[in-house]
Amino acid sequence: MATVEPLVLTQPFLHDSVSCLSAPVAALSAPDGQIRNGGVEGVFFHDRRVISELVVDVDGHLPVAIGHRLTAAGDATFVGIVRHVGDLSPDPTVRLERRRQTRHDGADEQLTLISAA
């Protein structure tokens, strides 16, 4: 008779997350910039989660992450390509830049859709 292992739900590792911090505000997301419901991701104010999900799509399609950078402890930029719009070619011509900034009293996101088409 086979032994059935109990299902163990594990918390994602924090080192896999991108953190923006301007105490007492912290924003934790996946490397693609998306904040998905569940796990450690979210925007926190005084250790209380105030945003649990913030997923950005373009016309119903998720951008394909190509990189991110931190320019300060509370400032991150995420870049993704948008394959379903722009020129019909193997090389993508449209990208989404997502800049997240945290402050002591909140957080902002600026979305910029850039086309080389």
Side-chain angles (χ1 to χ4, degrees):
M1 185 156 142
T3 304
V4 176
E5 298 279 331
L7 178 63
V8 177
L9 298 175
T10 57
Q11 183 78 338
F13 292 114
L14 282 175
H15 69 267
D16 291 336
S17 299
V18 177
S19 303
C20 289
L21 176 66
S22 296
V25 175
L28 301 171
S29 72
D32 62 358
Q34 304 285 25
I35 296 174
R36 294 176 181 84
N37 196 8
V40 300
E41 297 174 8
V43 178
F44 300 84
F45 182 67
H46 288 286
D47 294 330
R48 177 173 288 165
R49 190 185 317 248
V50 294
I51 297 176
S52 60
E53 186 172 21
L54 184 58
V55 176
V56 174
D57 67 56
V58 177
D59 194 29
H61 297 267
L62 294 176
V64 177
I66 59 172
H68 70 276
R69 68 180 177 272
L70 292 171
T71 54
D75 193 342
T77 300
F78 305 89
V79 180
I81 55 173
V82 185
R83 293 190 180 272
H84 72 287
V85 296
D87 290 339
L88 297 176
S89 71
D91 295 325
T93 57
V94 178
R95 73 181 186 274
L96 175 68
E97 291 188 1
R98 181 177 188 170
R99 183 174 180 199
R100 178 175 300 140
Q101 294 179 291
T102 56
R103 303 177 314 278
H104 72 281
D105 61 348
D108 295 313
E109 279 212 5
Q110 177 182 346
L111 303 175
T112 306
L113 198 59
I114 300 164
S115 175

